Amino acid sequence: MKTALVCGAGGFIGSHLVKRLKREGFWVRGVDIKLPGFEETEADDFLQADLRDPVICREVLDQRFDEVYQLAADMGGAGFVFIGENDADIMHNSVMINLNILEACKRRTIKRVFYSSSACVYPEFNQMQPDSPVTSEDSVYPAQPDSDYGWEKLFSERMFLAYARNHGIESRIARYHNIFGPEGSWNDGREKVPAAMCRKIAMAEDGGEIEIWGDGAQTRSFLFVDECLEATTRLTRSDWTGPVNIGSNEMVSINQLADMVMGIAGKSLTIKHIPGPLGVRGRNSDNRLIQEQLGWAPSESLIHGLEKTYQWIEQQVMNEKSNP
Ligand code: NAD
């Protein structure tokens, strides 16, 4: 039986990845500082442990897993990574985790490691216009990410590549672009745009008002979590290293996203634009490289993933109301 280790298995993407690997027949160990927030883990073995501790990382990697997925990070949406208050924690915690995992992989002669980097590595100066952002993989240098979260991801990418070069650990690096879906943060201060939008709209009375940070003309693309996992496992098992974008190229403005979710909810709401942390003005996933190397592209349009996510968040809102 093939074995996999998922670091960050209590988080949004990690908990979905555990389910997918189980469906594929893997024996899975999950590790995270917290348990999954919404459903019991499907991992065969789940360690609740702090990966900033090198001794713990050595214990977690007590066997030669066939696949190691490193998704653990101190992260969140714009309200967490762009406000400045969490920068030292983000950099310290995530670098410690990545360093410890790589060292433990080296000791255990692990062959293949997946690392989840981010679109936040791309330079701010290429993303100033909402309609023409540049995110081709080779545009990452000269580097100028707009957040310390992005700088940490870029440093850690380099660390994974250096360990690959010097210690033979084959790294597979993806730059995720706004992954969304059910069972992710939706009201804990770490939620991202799609979840926050679904929550605001689910909580509003028809004819009421919701608040959006900025003028809403800023653009992004969003990829449903199942699509992300298909690309992630394909990359991990391929002979190709990356770094590569894993995202959708269906770019929408935040105002358009609001309209789509209102349509799903069947509500007509007024949007009030307020100041808030924003990030770059425009971002879209450039999917040419992944299409060429892995033959992968998203299979469904944004609206399908939004429908599933809205349904789940609406249920959470109703649960909270009936059980405050
Ligand atoms: P998430 O916050 O839900 O998952 C990260 C997990 O790491 C959390 O469960 C957290 O408890 C765990 N973790 C943090 N510190 C830890 C520690 N010291 N020891 C053990 N576990 C620890 O985030 P996610 O959305 O599932 O993202 C997974 C990965 O993908 C992260 O590396 C993130 O930076 C990257 N990424 C995500 C997105 C996205 O849109 N969701 C975009 C770009 C990159």
Side-chain angles (χ1 to χ4, degrees):
M1 190 185 248
K2 284 204 162 190
T3 57
L5 171 66
V6 178
C7 304
F12 165 50
I13 303 173
S15 57
H16 284 277
L17 177 60
V18 168
K19 285 186 211 170
R20 179 179 170 122
L21 292 169
K22 283 308 300 167
R23 277 201 308 278
E24 290 182 5
F26 276 75
W27 184 91
V28 182
R29 171 174 292 163
V31 54
D32 201 298
I33 204 164
K34 66 173 176 67
L35 295 169
F38 306 104
E39 269 188 21
E40 216 163 290
T41 183
E42 288 184 21
D44 298 278
D45 183 28
F46 189 97
L47 304 175
Q48 193 172 355
D50 189 341
L51 294 168
R52 288 171 300 183
D53 182 338
V55 178
I56 300 249
C57 285
R58 286 203 288 274
E59 285 168 11
V60 164
L61 274 136
D62 65 353
Q63 54 182 282
R64 292 188 71 189
F65 292 94
D66 294 301
E67 295 178 2
V68 172
Y69 294 88
Q70 186 351 46
L71 297 123
D74 199 359
M75 68 93 65
F80 184 76
V81 299
F82 293 131
I83 56 172
E85 284 168 27
N86 303 310
D87 291 347
D89 278 349
I90 288 171
M91 295 193 102
H92 173 269
N93 295 343
S94 297
V95 166
M96 290 291 283
I97 295 169
N98 290 324
L99 185 59
N100 291 340
I101 297 281
L102 277 168
E103 271 298 302
C105 285
K106 185 177 111 187
R107 283 172 66 100
R108 193 55 66 190
T109 56
I110 297 287
K111 270 271 154 252
R112 190 63 61 101
V113 186
F114 169 85
Y115 173 58
S116 53
S117 182
S118 165
C120 290
V121 295
Y122 289 113
E124 186 175 21
F125 56 77
N126 275 335
Q127 302 172 88
M128 308 289 260
Q129 304 302 327
D131 51 355
S132 54
V134 177
T135 60
S136 55
E137 286 78 354
D138 58 3
S139 70
V140 76
Y141 296 109
Q144 197 199 319
D146 71 337
S147 64
D148 281 333
Y149 170 72
W151 278 106
E152 186 281 321
K153 286 289 189 195
L154 193 55
F155 170 78
S156 289
E157 277 191 10
R158 295 194 69 107
M159 198 157 56
F160 275 83
L161 291 171
Y163 270 71
R165 254 190 335 271
N166 298 161
H167 300 304
I169 301 169
E170 295 174 357
S171 301
R172 298 290 179 263
I173 301 171
R175 293 177 182 153
Y176 286 160
H177 288 244
N178 289 311
I179 314 304
F180 76 102
E183 296 176 24
S185 284
W186 65 282
N187 68 344
D188 64 357
R190 290 183 185 242
E191 65 275 18
K192 299 188 156 197
V193 181
M197 189 71 79
C198 289
R199 184 198 67 228
K200 288 175 189 181
I201 292 175
M203 291 178 76
E205 297 292 335
D206 192 18
E209 182 181 87
I210 55 162
E211 292 181 343
I212 287 184
W213 291 341
D215 63 5
Q218 65 272 30
T219 54
R220 292 291 185 277
S221 67
F222 304 96
L223 182 71
F224 191 62
V225 63
D226 293 354
E227 309 257 25
C228 165
L229 296 182
E230 173 59 31
T232 297
T233 49
R234 238 193 244 195
L235 172 64
T236 304
R237 292 162 195 168
S238 79
D239 290 331
W240 189 63
T241 311
V244 66
N245 293 325
I246 291 186
S248 158
N249 49 10
E250 186 183 342
M251 187 169 77
V252 293
S253 72
I254 302 304
N255 287 331
Q256 285 170 327
L257 182 77
D259 285 343
M260 289 171 99
V261 179
M262 280 188 238
I264 293 167
K267 293 183 186 177
S268 175
L269 305 167
T270 307
I271 297 176
K272 182 178 174 195
H273 297 283
I274 60 164
L278 293 175
V280 294
R281 188 72 174 144
R283 177 171 289 151
N284 194 12
S285 181
D286 184 330
N287 283 0
R288 286 173 298 172
L289 192 58
I290 194 162
Q291 173 78 58
E292 183 188 300
Q293 292 291 338
L294 300 180
W296 177 87
S299 64
E300 288 196 330
S301 56
L302 173 60
I303 193 80
H304 293 285
L306 281 178
E307 280 164 0
K308 293 176 220 172
T309 308
Y310 183 79
Q311 218 173 36
W312 181 79
I313 289 183
E314 189 183 39
Q315 189 59 53
Q316 306 306 306
V317 169
M318 286 189 321
N319 293 349
E320 285 245 315
K321 270 188 189 157
S322 58
N323 204 358

